[in-house]
Structure formats: C-alpha cells, structure tokens
Amino acid sequence: MQFLKTLFWVVVAIALTLFSIYNWRPVTLNLWSGLQADVKLPVLVAIPFLLGFLPTYFVYRGRLWALRHRYERPERVTVGNQPADAAPPPAATACDDPGLAI
C-alpha cells in the first residue's frame, strides 16, 4: 500500500512539473484602482488550490486525531489501572494439602 501511495505522489509531482514547465507565462491580474499584478500561471493555479485544500486537510487531520485519541484513551486507562507488581498466585504443593499432613 505504501508503494501505491508513493507512486501516486510521484505521478502528481511529475504532472505538476510538466504543467509548470509548459505554462510558465505571466498572467496580468487587474486588481482594484487600476493596480495590476503580473503572476506566473502555475502560481496562479497553485494558490486557489492550496486555499481550498489546506483547510479541508486540517479538518480531516483534526478529526482523525480526535478519533484516535478517543479510542486510545480507554486502553491507557485500563492498562494504567492494573497493578505493576501483580504476581501470579503460588501453585499448590502436596505439603499444602491438609489431608496429607502427618
């Protein structure tokens, strides 16, 4: 599974690199009051993508953390309540049997 994840990210990185190489052109943005900004096209595409992706990613990671924290907590409490020096009860021997005492 790790191989597929790595392969996916390698393909995405190659695609983004090729897109950036072939579209490295300035784009003029008309801002307020006649102000203009020249921005390269890949940067113009990356900024809105990150503005949409990052908040969703952080919410997802936060929910995963909360669920993991919720499910690990009972295990820690259960393990923490057991005595550390819990020894098994001693095994019964023939001398301990009252019917065999002389």
Side-chain angles (χ1 to χ4, degrees):
M1 186 68 181
Q2 183 67 29
F3 172 74
L4 292 177
K5 188 187 298 185
T6 303
L7 181 66
F8 171 76
W9 286 113
V10 167
V11 169
V12 168
I14 291 172
L16 286 174
T17 303
L18 290 175
F19 174 79
S20 297
I21 289 171
Y22 289 118
N23 291 303
W24 198 258
R25 295 184 185 97
V27 176
T28 302
L29 296 177
N30 293 321
L31 303 173
W32 56 91
S33 301
L35 186 63
Q36 293 182 342
D38 289 332
V39 181
K40 300 294 184 182
L41 185 61
V43 175
L44 187 63
V45 171
I47 290 173
F49 172 76
L50 290 175
L51 285 175
F53 176 76
L54 289 179
T56 307
Y57 177 75
F58 289 137
V59 167
Y60 170 73
R61 296 302 293 181
R63 287 187 182 175
L64 277 178
W65 177 84
L67 287 173
R68 196 171 293 136
H69 184 70
R70 182 184 302 166
Y71 288 124
E72 287 178 358
R73 188 172 190 174
E75 292 176 6
R76 282 186 278 159
V77 170
T78 303
V79 171
N81 288 340
Q82 294 176 354
D85 298 336
T93 60
C95 296
D96 293 339
D97 190 10
L100 296 175
I102 301 177

